[in-house]
Amino acid sequence: ILENLHFLELAIPKEIVLEQELGNDLPLIRADAGQMQQVVMNLIINASEAIGRRAGTVSIRTSLAAIDEDRIDEWEVAKETLSPGSYLRLDVSDNGSGMSPDVVKKVFDPFFTTKVTGRGLGLSAVVGIVRAHRGALRVESEEGRGTTFSMIIPVSSDKKEDSGKTDRTESMQRLQGCV
């Protein structure tokens, strides 16, 4: 995220501030860097579009999350089945228009869109990427108050850094560095 912050800021209107609160010393995840970049970019662009051309804020946060049996149901929106354990968490929030409960229920469906010119593939692509990485998504929104998309990806059990592998699907990346 830090390496691409300037690029991310260029992708949103100048009236919108991109705030970041990135966790320090986060554990590794096994992830494709390009796919993680696509996820973050889609979430940030959707958040900025929810705000429109007015002044607003998009926030991006990374942290470590412990998911136990009691918290697995919190991730039911994307219909994922998780195992208890440690996960890296990414939250992208906006202070835009928010969504109705009916829209929230459909937001991850392929071809669903609230935009006049959209195709509705962005969030369904995000779901596919997150599922491929054994993670999950959820969305919290309130009309008139904004939206937060949260993603979790399991922490890798491999403690060592990537030793220069060129195969992106096998590389170990820090969430904050892979985007």
Side-chain angles (χ1 to χ4, degrees):
I1 292 170
L2 288 174
E3 292 171 6
N4 290 285
L5 190 57
H6 179 69
F7 180 65
L8 296 169
E9 288 173 336
L10 290 175
I12 61 176
K14 64 181 179 183
E15 299 86 3
I16 298 174
V17 174
L18 182 60
E19 295 179 340
Q20 73 269 349
E21 184 181 320
L22 306 177
N24 293 321
D25 299 320
L26 294 175
L28 300 173
I29 61 171
R30 184 172 299 276
D32 180 282
Q35 290 181 352
M36 290 295 111
Q37 184 175 13
Q38 181 180 350
V39 166
V40 174
M41 183 61 72
N42 279 343
L43 294 176
I44 288 175
I45 289 173
N46 280 352
S48 70
E49 288 176 349
I51 296 169
R53 290 282 178 190
R54 63 178 178 80
T57 303
V58 172
S59 300
I60 185 166
R61 286 181 297 285
T62 59
S63 60
L64 185 61
I67 307 297
D68 58 24
E69 290 286 343
D70 295 336
R71 296 189 60 211
I72 288 175
D73 289 343
E74 294 176 18
W75 299 92
E76 195 172 11
V77 172
K79 299 173 183 72
E80 297 301 319
T81 302
L82 298 176
S83 299
S86 294
Y87 290 80
L88 278 179
R89 181 173 173 157
L90 169 75
D91 295 311
V92 176
S93 302
D94 66 70
N95 62 348
S97 58
M99 296 180 281
S100 71
D102 288 337
V103 171
V104 169
K105 287 178 187 176
K106 299 176 192 173
V107 75
F108 296 117
D109 293 349
F111 305 109
F112 176 78
T113 183
T114 59
K115 302 171 194 162
V116 175
T117 59
R119 291 196 171 91
L121 296 175
L123 289 176
S124 63
V126 166
V127 167
I129 291 168
V130 172
R131 283 181 181 159
H133 288 85
R134 298 175 295 123
L137 287 164
R138 73 174 179 198
V139 60
E140 298 174 51
S141 189
E142 186 178 335
E143 288 182 282
R145 300 190 54 91
T147 301
T148 298
F149 282 90
S150 299
M151 171 188 81
I152 56 173
I153 301 287
V155 169
S156 175
S157 59
D158 189 352
K159 303 287 186 216
K160 60 185 177 182
E161 293 282 342
D162 180 23
S163 57
K165 291 181 183 177
T166 56
D167 183 356
R168 287 178 15 183
T169 60
E170 292 297 315
S171 68
M172 298 296 293
Q173 301 287 330
R174 292 193 185 279
L175 181 57
Q176 67 195 67
C178 74
V179 182

